[in-house]
């Protein structure tokens, strides 16, 4: 890691844990894939170098958290605290952390560190850095009372924001924003959305604000009802035929068998974007689905520039994700609900029982 993006081991009196307990409550992955355990004696992290310590005010549950918990993503830490949509309040600063003051409210997202030196980092494509690290995967995240983050990878938030409504923007919003930009949707075009979870709901709001029409194909009556309430011109089940050719499509659901359907539904010259970090294997795709200069693209994490742009847009559009609020004690229950489809929209944790 470069000096700009890697924490040093210097410590000052401010990093000492005065006023902050030495241990905390935190949900930690277990040896068995798919399981979490609530620990009450997890060591409270200490901010070093360019890091700040935050009290976690709210944290969203993301489909990517399930991929980490279920080991659908390779295991990076034997036991890790998931959670990467964190709204927190700065309590302590490392020796080299001067960007934020104690008491500031900040956001902590999926992208945690990059090397700062490679070609992608220097060219503005830091999401493609081969040495990138991620919150709740490479280091402990926000399913806990406290978390640390490098000041360079945190987002400054207004003190008056609603932490519960803001948390989903830190991944679902940022990834949806990047996916929509990569979809190359023409002005007034028809956007097809396959899978209507947290990110899709926010993306639809942005697309509507840009004058687009939105057609949704998704499983679950709750997701379909939310899509109708959000103004979709068409809503069908997961394999429903779209009413007319799509100008662009985004596949949010981690289901590879939806990709041929999205390609077939998209007009010649259109673009299909795969927005998930994990997806089941794609089936054989007939060349005719790609023929006609249809573009098939993926989204790989995000850059900090994506996040800053999304938060500027969120303030202008007053983006309001549909949120189910739960206490942190119910994280394991919520993970099961999201996995089974019983929960829809954005699930956000705040407060402890």
């Amino acid at each position: 890691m470069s000096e700009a993006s890697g924490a040093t081991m210097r410590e000052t009196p401010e990093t000492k844990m005065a006023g902050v307990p030495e241990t905390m409550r935190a949900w930690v992955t277990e040896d068995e894939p798919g399981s979490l355990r609530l620990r009450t004696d997890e060591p409270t992290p200490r901010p070093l170098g360019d890091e700040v310590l935050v009290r976690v005010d709210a944290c969203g549950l993301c489909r990517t958290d399930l991929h980490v918990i279920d080991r659908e993503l390779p295991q990076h830490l034997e036991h890790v605290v998931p959670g990467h949509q964190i709204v927190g309040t700065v309590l302590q600063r490392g020796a080299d952390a001067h960007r934020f003051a104690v008491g500031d409210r900040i956001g902590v997202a999926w992208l945690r560190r990059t090397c700062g030196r490679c070609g992608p980092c220097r060219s503005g494509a830091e999401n493609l850095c081969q040495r990138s690290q991620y919150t709740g995967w490479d280091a402990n995240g926000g399913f806990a009372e406290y978390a640390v983050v490098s000041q360079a990878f945190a987002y400054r938030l207004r003190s008056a924001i609603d932490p519960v409504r803001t948390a989903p923007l830190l991944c679902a919003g940022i990834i949806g924003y990047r996916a929509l930009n990569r979809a190359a949707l023409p002005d007034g075009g028809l956007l097809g959305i396959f899978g209507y979870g947290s990110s899709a709901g926010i993306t639809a709001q942005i697309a509507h604000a840009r004058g687009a029409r939105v057609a949704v194909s998704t499983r679950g009556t709750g997701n379909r009802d939310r899509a109708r309430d959000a103004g979709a011109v068409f809503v069908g089940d997961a394999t429903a035929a779209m009413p007319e050719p799509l100008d662009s499509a985004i596949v949010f659901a981690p289901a590879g068998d939806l990709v041929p359907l999205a390609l077939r539904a998209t007009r010649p010259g259109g673009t299909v974007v795969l927005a998930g970090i994990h997806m089941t294997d794609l089936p054989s795709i007939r060349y005719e689905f790609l023929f006609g200069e249809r573009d098939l693209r993926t989204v790989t994490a995000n850059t900090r520039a994506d996040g800053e742009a999304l938060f500027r847009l969120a303030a202008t559009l007053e983006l309001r994700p549909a949120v189910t609020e739960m206490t942190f004690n119910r994280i394991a229950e919520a993970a099961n609900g999201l996995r089974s489809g019983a929960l829809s929209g954005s699930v956000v944790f705040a407060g402890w029982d």
Side-chain angles (χ1 to χ4, degrees):
M1 296 293 159
S2 67
E3 276 191 9
S5 57
T8 66
M9 298 301 293
R10 292 174 56 203
E11 183 178 27
T12 67
E14 189 175 11
T15 68
K16 296 185 184 298
M17 304 304 287
V20 178
E22 294 184 0
T23 60
M24 64 178 182
R25 289 172 287 189
W27 287 90
V28 182
T29 57
E30 294 275 72
D31 294 331
E32 177 103 13
S35 61
L36 284 169
R37 180 166 64 97
L38 177 59
R39 291 191 55 177
T40 59
D41 59 350
E42 181 73 10
T44 303
R46 177 172 297 186
L48 300 173
D50 67 345
E51 295 175 337
V52 294
L53 172 76
V54 299
R55 180 190 66 232
V56 178
D57 299 323
C59 186
L61 173 63
C62 178
R63 176 66 62 171
T64 300
D65 294 317
L66 288 190
H67 296 323
V68 171
I69 296 165
D70 296 345
R71 306 274 177 83
E72 291 170 329
L73 292 177
Q75 187 181 44
H76 284 189
L77 290 179
E78 184 177 4
H79 301 290
V80 69
V81 178
H84 58 273
Q85 298 181 109
I86 305 167
V87 175
T89 301
V90 176
L91 299 182
Q92 301 281 349
R93 303 185 299 178
D96 303 318
H98 308 293
R99 181 183 174 201
F100 302 109
V102 171
D104 282 353
R105 178 160 272 169
I106 64 173
V108 183
W110 175 238
L111 184 65
R112 186 176 187 84
R113 288 192 183 276
T114 61
C115 76
R117 301 192 306 268
C118 66
C121 283
R122 294 198 305 270
S123 67
E126 64 183 2
N127 60 307
L128 302 180
C129 174
Q130 294 301 298
R131 298 179 65 190
S132 55
Q133 296 180 5
Y134 300 94
T135 307
W137 190 22
D138 294 292
N140 287 340
F143 290 174
E145 293 183 278
Y146 304 96
V148 295
V149 63
S150 165
Q151 63 177 3
F153 286 82
Y155 295 94
R156 187 181 298 277
L157 302 176
R158 293 178 293 111
S159 59
I161 56 97
D162 179 349
V164 172
R165 295 284 179 179
T166 302
L169 300 180
L170 285 154
C171 183
I174 295 173
I175 293 300
Y177 173 82
R178 185 173 183 86
L180 184 58
N181 286 343
R182 287 186 59 74
L185 182 67
D187 292 343
L190 178 62
L191 173 68
I193 289 178
F194 292 78
Y196 200 81
S198 178
S199 190
I202 297 170
T203 304
Q205 291 184 52
I206 299 173
H208 283 307
R210 292 179 175 178
R213 296 176 298 145
V214 176
V216 174
S217 175
T218 189
R219 67 172 187 166
T221 56
N223 286 333
R224 290 195 287 272
D225 288 344
R226 288 196 307 109
R228 292 188 187 95
D229 291 343
V233 297
F234 169 82
V235 179
D237 65 24
T239 59
M242 292 295 179
E244 61 182 276
L246 305 171
D247 294 296
S248 303
I250 304 175
V251 180
F252 286 103
D257 56 0
L258 294 178
V259 177
L261 299 179
L263 284 167
R264 185 168 54 188
T266 302
R267 65 166 176 80
T271 300
V272 174
V273 176
L274 313 184
I277 190 173
H278 168 81
M279 179 174 281
T280 58
D281 290 345
L282 275 61
S284 177
I285 296 176
R286 293 166 58 182
Y287 180 58
E288 67 184 76
F289 294 167
L290 284 169
F291 190 70
E293 299 190 349
R294 293 176 178 85
D295 285 341
L296 182 61
R297 298 179 172 182
T298 62
V299 171
T300 301
N302 63 276
T303 67
R304 283 171 285 177
D306 292 325
E308 297 292 354
L310 182 277
F311 277 105
R312 289 194 297 271
L313 190 63
T316 301
L317 299 181
E318 297 184 354
L319 295 178
R320 293 187 62 81
V323 168
T324 299
E325 183 178 348
M326 305 175 75
T327 66
F328 279 96
N329 302 73
R330 299 177 64 189
I331 284 180
E333 172 191 342
N336 289 333
L338 183 61
R339 190 182 291 111
S340 68
L343 286 175
S344 61
S346 301
V347 179
V348 179
F349 308 107
W352 295 79
D353 293 334

